[in-house]
């Protein structure tokens, strides 16, 4: 049972780093989420401030 727990804990390390990298890339590649909501046209400043 102890070997199973240790193996699962060691498997958790690459999963943690992979998930962290994926979230980091998604946040930085996507850019500004408010600009993404407005689409191709420029957002109204009042709408952007409200969002």
């Amino acid at each position: 049972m102890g070997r199973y727990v240790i193996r699962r804990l060691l498997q958790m390390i690459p999963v943690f780093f992979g998930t962290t990298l994926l979230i980091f890339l998604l946040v930085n590649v996507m850019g500004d989420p408010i600009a993404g909501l407005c689409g191709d046209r420029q957002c109204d400043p009042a709408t952007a401030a409200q969002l």
Side-chain angles (χ1 to χ4, degrees), residues 16-44:
F16 174 75
F17 283 115
T19 306
T20 304
L21 178 66
L22 181 66
I23 292 171
F24 175 78
L25 290 175
L26 284 175
V27 168
N28 287 322
V29 169
M30 292 300 212
D32 186 19
I34 294 175
L37 288 173
C38 295
D40 292 335
R41 56 193 166 100
Q42 181 86 12
C43 272
D44 180 36

Side-chain angles (χ1 to χ4, degrees), residues 1-19:
M1 181 68 179
R3 294 178 77 187
Y4 174 75
V5 172
I6 290 173
R7 190 173 71 221
R8 295 296 288 180
L9 287 173
L10 288 175
Q11 288 175 346
M12 187 177 70
I13 295 170
V15 171
F16 174 75
F17 283 115
T19 306

